[in-house]
């Protein structure tokens, strides 16, 4: 078997890259370790920057997104018992769209199936070969036998725990990392959201976020310690803790119900540099992780793919120079999103080690944000997404 671009990973990065390359007439094969159903069942991101929406439009997969996605023109910051709206549309002219990652994944999988493009699910023990030569390849195990695929390039879109970044010799890659001392306990429930827009809460008991996937499906999070287990959080305890962190009006309006998904995600900031190693190119979570506070993980995966698809298309149009620029173009945007996600995390979470002084600094910054148009504009500009 041979293809032009072998893509490892059928998450949003791999599927979107596959679709953009397919539309440009570039042959590609996706290898995914898990089953299609498993990938579709993962509950993750839900807030899309306007640039990510435009990219999905260009990929021809935005019809359902526009029909079912919720366009948000702002969000609330809650602290000290009050709520302060950040008017994204008024400050930047841009909006964000709430549409679940699982839905994007489904739309991209459907488009790929309609195009007849090849995806290998349940590809075990994927190995990368010779990406420092002009003749790289991939091998994997399937149905008991070892298979092989030759290609021009390998796109490593296999997430944080994938094999692509791990295949790079340690001396060729530099890793930057910050691991936070807390996580997010998330609950998905078929209850109407407490508010039309998201509420980010900074509270003495810890951070909380009121988000949603639709008008009838809510996604809520509370900051928890890393030692806590999901089974220590029966639904009643979760709702009680969330209510305790919300401003009074929101706490009164909160509709609770049985959780349909509950999980704890650790928070991490991570960047690998560079993103290109000969004929292996990394994109999305394979190359970087942000804490979810700024809603940037999925959006960064999309912006990497934008630059990477442009680089491949230029290469096949006899302009190989764009591939040289991929790493620096993508990383310039990645680092700004890392900074934003880190600063939102620092602003809104409880850091016991920072003591009372640290809390007063957070409150001073939140009050400044609530009253300064300049500060709100800087926040809004980053939240809706910096230009590609
Ligand atoms: C629990 C959780 C909650 C999140 N919540 C949010 C959120 O609220 N907001 C936000 O913006 N972001 C969130 N994120 C981040 C966001 O979901 C990711 O940034 C996004 O999924 C990145 O897409 P990706 O395609 O790069 O990686 P992934 O979605 O991780 O896809 C990688 C794919 O590669 C496959 N794979 C892995 N190893 C191999 C291998 N060896 N061989 C073949 N295939 C392999 C995986 O099965 C997977 O399908 C969350 C992430 C997690 C884990």
């Amino acid at each position: 078997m041979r293809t032009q671009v072998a893509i490892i990973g059928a998450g949003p990065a791999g599927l979107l890259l596959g679709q953009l390359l397919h539309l440009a007439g570039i042959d590609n094969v996706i290898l995914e370790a898990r089953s299609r159903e498993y990938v579709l069942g993962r509950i993750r991101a839900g807030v899309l920057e306007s640039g990510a929406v435009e990219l999905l439009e260009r990929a021809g997969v935005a019809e359902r997104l526009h029909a079912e996605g919720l366009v948000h023109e702002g969000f609330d910051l809650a602290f000290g018992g009050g709520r302060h709206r950040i008017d994204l549309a008024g400050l930047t002219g841009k909006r964000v769209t709430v549409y679940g990652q699982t839905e994007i994944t489904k739309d991209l999988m459907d488009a790929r199936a309609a195009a007849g493009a090849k995806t290998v699910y349940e590809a075990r023990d994927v190995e990368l070969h010779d990406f420092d030569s002009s003749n790289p390849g991939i091998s994997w195990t399937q149905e008991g036998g070892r298979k092989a695929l030759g290609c021009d390039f390998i796109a490593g879109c296999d997430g944080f725990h994938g094999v692509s970044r791990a295949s790079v010799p340690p001396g060729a890659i530099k890793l930057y990392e910050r691991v936070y001392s807390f996580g997010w306990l998330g609950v998905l429930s078929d209850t109407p959201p407490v508010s039309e827009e998201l509420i980010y809460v900074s509270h003495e008991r810890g951070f909380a976020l009121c988000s949603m996937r639709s008008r009838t499906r809510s996604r809520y999070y509370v900051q928890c310690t890393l030692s806590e287990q999901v089974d220590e959080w029966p639904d009643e305890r979760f709702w009680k803790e969330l209510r305790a962190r919300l401003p009074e009006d929101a706490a009164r309006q909160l509709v609770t119900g049985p959780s349909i998904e509950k999980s704890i995600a650790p928070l991490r900031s991570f960047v690998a540099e560079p993103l290109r190693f000969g004929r292996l190119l990394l994109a999305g979570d394979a190359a970087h992780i942000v804490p979810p506070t700024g809603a940037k993980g999925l959006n960064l995966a999309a912006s990497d793919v934008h630059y990477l698809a442009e680089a491949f298309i230029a290469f096949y149009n006899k302009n190989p120079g764009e591939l040289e620029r991929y790493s620096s173009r993508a990383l310039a945007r990645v680092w700004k999103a890392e900074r934003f996600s880190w600063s939102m995390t620092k602003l809104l979470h409880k850091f016991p080690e920072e003591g009372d002084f640290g809390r007063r600094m957070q409150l001073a910054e939140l009050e400044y944000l609530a009253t300064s148009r300049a500060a709100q504009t800087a926040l809004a500009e980053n939240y809706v997404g910096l230009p590609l």
Side-chain angles (χ1 to χ4, degrees):
M1 268 210 289
R2 194 169 169 87
T3 188
Q4 288 174 300
V5 180
I7 300 172
I8 309 182
L15 287 166
L16 181 57
L17 179 64
Q19 177 69 3
L20 292 172
L21 295 184
H22 165 75
L23 292 176
I26 299 171
D27 190 56
N28 62 87
V29 173
I30 299 183
L31 286 121
E32 165 60 49
R34 305 286 194 160
S35 68
R36 186 180 186 277
E37 294 66 37
Y38 181 93
V39 174
L40 274 173
R42 283 189 304 226
I43 308 295
R44 291 185 171 179
V47 178
L48 295 176
E49 297 173 353
S50 52
V53 172
E54 282 162 27
L55 201 55
L56 292 165
E57 283 168 358
R58 260 182 21 226
V61 291
E63 201 175 312
R64 205 161 64 91
L65 183 160
H66 286 308
E68 297 175 17
L70 305 175
V71 176
H72 283 197
E73 300 203 337
F75 65 84
D76 277 358
L77 282 177
F79 62 94
R83 274 162 80 165
H84 307 269
R85 185 164 186 269
I86 304 296
D87 179 5
L88 298 173
L91 292 161
T92 67
K94 291 184 182 167
R95 288 143 187 85
V96 293
T97 303
V98 172
Y99 189 65
Q101 177 168 331
T102 41
E103 306 310 315
I104 296 173
T105 306
K106 181 173 186 314
D107 296 342
L108 283 163
M109 283 179 172
D110 289 351
R112 191 164 178 85
K118 188 168 173 62
T119 310
V120 180
Y121 287 100
E122 301 186 62
R124 305 284 179 214
D125 304 322
V126 172
E127 282 182 40
L128 288 71
H129 306 283
D130 304 322
F131 53 81
D132 52 352
S133 77
S134 57
N135 198 20
I138 292 182
S139 62
W140 69 96
T141 301
Q142 197 186 18
E143 288 155 8
R146 203 73 194 150
K147 317 267 170 172
L149 175 69
C151 55
D152 299 336
F153 294 99
I154 302 171
C157 301
D158 47 351
F160 184 65
H161 300 288
V163 63
S164 301
R165 191 184 70 250
S167 302
V168 174
I173 191 165
K174 179 154 172 62
L175 309 178
Y176 300 83
E177 185 168 39
R178 167 143 317 168
V179 179
Y180 300 89
S181 59
F182 45 78
W184 280 18
L185 169 66
V187 156
L188 192 69
S189 68
D190 277 331
T191 52
V194 69
S195 168
E196 291 249 321
E197 295 178 340
L198 273 66
I199 312 176
Y200 287 82
V201 188
S202 170
H203 192 275
E204 277 62 24
R205 297 178 70 89
F207 170 80
L209 172 60
C210 303
S211 184
M212 74 256 332
R213 292 293 178 269
S214 71
R215 290 207 166 79
T216 55
R217 181 166 284 187
S218 299
R219 182 72 166 157
Y220 295 110
Y221 300 93
V222 294
Q223 177 183 352
C224 64
T225 64
L226 285 178
S227 58
E228 282 170 291
Q229 307 292 320
V230 171
D231 55 16
E232 295 168 37
W233 284 90
D235 289 356
E236 312 77 65
R237 181 177 173 208
F238 178 84
W239 293 121
K240 192 169 171 222
E241 185 58 40
L242 176 65
R243 195 171 266 129
R245 297 184 190 190
L246 294 183
E248 253 175 49
D249 61 331
R252 265 197 313 275
Q253 281 156 18
L254 181 69
V255 179
T256 64
S259 60
I260 52 174
E261 195 266 357
K262 194 187 288 167
S263 51
I264 292 179
L267 266 65
R268 182 194 301 274
S269 298
F270 172 86
V271 181
E273 279 189 345
L275 303 183
R276 178 179 171 216
F277 308 88
R279 296 231 164 187
L280 166 65
L281 301 101
L282 303 180
D285 277 17
H288 40 73
I289 296 285
V290 284
T293 328
K296 291 284 167 252
L298 173 59
N299 291 298
L300 269 189
S303 67
D304 283 0
V305 164
H306 161 75
Y307 297 126
L308 187 53
E310 276 194 350
F312 282 139
I313 292 166
F315 175 87
Y316 288 109
N317 283 316
K318 313 236 174 309
N319 176 11
E322 280 298 298
L323 273 172
E324 303 286 337
R325 291 180 59 220
Y326 165 64
S327 185
S328 57
R329 282 182 86 194
L331 281 169
R333 196 167 187 282
V334 165
W335 276 113
K336 291 186 195 106
E338 288 283 346
R339 185 211 66 81
F340 177 66
S341 305
W342 164 83
S343 68
M344 286 280 278
T345 304
K346 294 262 292 176
L347 175 66
L348 296 168
H349 290 75
K350 182 173 176 168
F351 287 83
E353 64 275 22
E354 301 279 335
D356 291 345
F357 181 80
R359 180 61 185 152
R360 291 311 294 255
M361 288 297 101
Q362 285 179 326
L363 288 172
E365 190 171 345
L366 285 163
E367 272 155 26
Y368 175 55
L369 263 170
T371 52
S372 161
R373 189 176 170 87
Q376 288 175 13
T377 305
L379 173 67
E381 196 172 70
N382 282 278
Y383 193 84
V384 298
L386 298 175
L388 286 173

